[in-house]
Amino acid sequence: MECIAISMQFPASVDVAKLSDIVTKGRVGFLRINRCRACRFDRCVLVGMNPRAIQFPASIDVAKFSDKVSTRKTGLVFEATIEEKLIKSLVYVELKVRQIRESSRWLSDSTIFRSIRELLSSQENVLAYADQYPKELRWPLSMSEVLKLEASERRPYWLMLDMFLCIEMARTMPVFSQLEYKDQEALLKDAILTNTILLKAFYSWQMKSEICITPDGFSPIKMTMEEFVLLKAIIYSHSAIHGLSERGRVLLEKESVRYSKTLMKHLQSRMGAAPGAKKYAEIVFSIGCFFQCAQTLRQVQVYMFTMMRPSVSCPPYMETIMYA
């Protein structure tokens, strides 16, 4: 199919380099869709525009450009699916986690120093109040700035905070409320420390660090926000847990399959079939590495709290997870 208007408009008004950039990057944020070349181009792709029926300059590789258009069409179709809505809901919650994590306002002791039972029985979730936590504009601090801080100036205990936020996010997962209390506790003991390490690794990479760092400056993992939240969801759905009931295992396995399929479709719609499958395999392979890192961190923390007796007090939920 060839749209006469498009065959005349795009070659005449947009050079092919820009047109290729439109296909690669997708929509541009214009208020009026008719003034946005990317949006107009996307609509043409969706109705079946055939690049081979358009007259391009002789220097353009039409076959290569056609492949880009085909990949873009797959992505556009995916954007309207249930899977894409699922990803957006996960990203929405994750942005709340990040807002609290990067805030200058500390969580109160009465909020964070609770047991797992107290957290799970609470009717409130701190993520619901994320808009009350303003971003700390001074961060990240340099090491010299950190050393100049007054001894009395309170700084977060990042492991404790990240574990708490991972628990709060777990409570928002649709399957979590369907689990019995014992299964909920077993899942938290298994998944929270792993997702805490994943969280540190992802945000360290976003801060362009070669090592894992905290928001105030003190092995990143390269992935998009969408890939990150889906990987977290897969870990939250881990069903190979000791002490899990059969009903809980079935529920978590079903969720794990759903998130895994969504991740695969998302990657293939964005990267193409083969590259997407390869990226999927790499991400799934990393899950075992994160669980192994979590076990190592657990051993280190238990040693520190047992032998070194640090000055920072440990909330009950953290002790339960660390000594699991």
Side-chain angles (χ1 to χ4, degrees):
M1 173 180 178
E2 176 190 1
C3 172
I4 297 177
I6 290 299
S7 67
M8 296 176 63
Q9 177 186 13
F10 279 102
S13 63
V14 184
D15 64 48
V16 177
K18 291 182 179 179
L19 189 56
S20 178
D21 190 58
I22 287 173
V23 175
T24 302
K25 295 183 179 179
R27 291 186 176 85
V28 183
F30 284 80
L31 294 177
R32 295 179 62 183
I33 190 170
N34 289 331
R35 296 179 58 186
C36 173
R37 290 173 177 172
C39 296
R40 296 202 311 271
F41 186 79
D42 282 349
R43 285 188 290 176
C44 295
V45 171
L46 282 173
V47 298
M49 182 190 73
N50 185 355
R52 296 180 184 276
I54 298 177
Q55 183 178 358
F56 288 101
S59 59
I60 299 305
D61 187 338
V62 179
K64 184 176 181 180
F65 185 77
S66 296
D67 290 340
K68 288 188 176 183
V69 171
S70 178
T71 300
R72 179 61 184 155
K73 183 174 182 178
T74 303
L76 290 171
V77 173
F78 178 79
E79 288 178 5
T81 64
I82 296 176
E83 287 86 355
E84 181 64 12
K85 293 178 181 179
L86 175 62
I87 293 174
K88 288 181 179 179
S89 68
L90 291 172
V91 171
Y92 174 76
V93 177
E94 183 60 39
L95 292 177
K96 289 177 174 289
V97 170
R98 186 172 71 180
Q99 185 167 347
I100 295 177
R101 188 173 187 260
E102 298 179 352
S103 174
S104 57
R105 176 186 172 187
W106 314 128
L107 293 170
S108 65
D109 289 347
S110 60
T111 298
I112 204 168
F113 277 84
R114 291 187 285 175
S115 66
I116 285 183
R117 181 174 290 276
E118 289 172 330
L119 289 173
L120 295 183
S121 62
S122 174
Q123 298 299 313
E124 294 186 341
N125 191 310
V126 71
L127 299 181
Y129 305 97
D131 58 339
Q132 299 178 14
Y133 290 80
K135 183 178 177 62
E136 173 55 79
L137 300 179
R138 297 180 302 163
W139 292 349
L141 302 176
S142 65
M143 183 54 67
S144 60
E145 290 174 316
V146 171
L147 294 175
K148 291 178 182 178
L149 292 175
E150 296 292 336
S152 59
E153 185 170 349
R154 185 178 180 184
R155 298 180 65 234
Y157 179 19
W158 291 110
L159 179 60
M160 178 176 66
L161 175 62
D162 289 344
M163 289 178 66
F164 174 78
L165 292 175
C166 283
I167 291 175
E168 294 295 87
M169 184 172 184
R171 293 174 58 206
T172 69
M173 304 299 289
V175 71
F176 196 78
S177 61
Q178 302 177 41
L179 300 174
E180 299 175 358
Y181 172 78
K182 289 185 177 180
D183 289 342
Q184 291 178 341
E185 184 175 358
L187 179 60
L188 294 184
K189 290 179 180 179
D190 178 78
I192 292 304
L193 198 54
T194 303
N195 267 337
T196 297
I197 294 175
L198 173 60
L199 181 148
K200 290 180 181 295
F202 175 73
Y203 286 119
S204 294
W205 174 69
Q206 283 210 327
M207 296 175 75
K208 304 185 186 305
S209 171
E210 295 297 327
I211 59 174
C212 287
I213 56 178
T214 50
D216 64 346
F218 179 74
S219 142
I221 182 169
K222 299 180 180 180
M223 59 176 61
T224 65
M225 174 64 79
E226 291 79 9
E227 294 163 8
F228 168 60
V229 295
L230 284 170
L231 180 55
K232 285 184 74 174
I234 292 172
I235 293 174
Y236 279 134
S237 306
H238 186 228
S239 60
I241 303 173
H242 176 71
L244 196 66
S245 70
E246 184 60 29
R247 177 178 175 275
R249 194 180 310 280
V250 171
L251 286 172
L252 290 175
E253 284 179 353
K254 184 178 179 180
E255 284 296 280
S256 179
V257 169
R258 182 165 73 113
Y259 291 123
S260 297
K261 287 183 176 179
T262 300
L263 177 59
M264 173 69 88
K265 289 182 180 180
H266 171 74
L267 291 171
Q268 290 185 323
S269 69
R270 185 170 60 86
M271 304 174 66
K278 180 181 178 181
K279 181 66 174 179
Y280 172 82
E282 293 173 355
I283 292 176
V284 171
F285 177 78
S286 70
I287 294 177
C289 299
F290 282 108
F291 271 102
Q292 185 175 356
C293 289
Q295 185 58 30
T296 301
L297 177 60
R298 178 178 281 112
Q299 294 171 355
V300 171
Q301 290 295 316
V302 169
Y303 173 80
M304 289 179 60
F305 280 106
T306 303
M307 304 299 295
M308 302 178 66
R309 301 184 182 280
S311 58
V312 179
S313 57
C314 181
Y317 71 81
M318 191 172 178
E319 290 185 359
T320 301
I321 293 173
M322 286 299 182
Y323 288 92

